[in-house]
Amino acid sequence: QRKNPFSSDDRLAAKPAHTHRGDPAYGRPPEGSRTEQRGKDAHSHVGKEVEELCLIIRRTGEVGEDGHVSVTFGQLFETYVTISNKVVGILLRARKHGLVHFEGEMLWQGKDDDVVITLL
């Protein structure tokens, strides 16, 4: 469409033709675009869900000898699933940010109910 002489879409003309892997804008939406704003909003929303998950772990878990609060996945799932059905995804994000620890790559309801999740 960028080369189409009959196209009057100004948004296409404003976009850079090509970005390269080393370019800081590579893989990112244009600055100030609605796409960039949606991404920022989604990041903020997920951050709030991670905070809420940590509060629930603190509230429902038990303090261990090391001073960390721990809860089993089964207990956390039963508590948190009434708030959000994305409990596993939020747990993975919290682990990525170093807020919680648990064994294994993925947690499955029923199978991993006894896995201990520790709030760091």
Side-chain angles (χ1 to χ4, degrees), residues 85-111:
N85 61 354
K86 302 176 289 260
V87 65
V88 175
I90 299 299
L91 269 173
L92 292 174
R93 179 63 62 102
R95 180 169 67 177
K96 179 180 176 182
H97 289 290
L99 300 173
V100 299
H101 172 75
F102 56 88
E103 295 295 324
E105 290 293 315
M106 180 65 79
L107 296 172
W108 303 97
Q109 183 187 10
K111 178 182 158 221

Side-chain angles (χ1 to χ4, degrees), residues 12-32:
L12 294 172
K15 288 185 181 179
H18 295 286
T19 57
H20 301 286
R21 197 171 283 247
D23 187 4
Y26 180 77
R28 299 200 178 272
E31 207 171 307

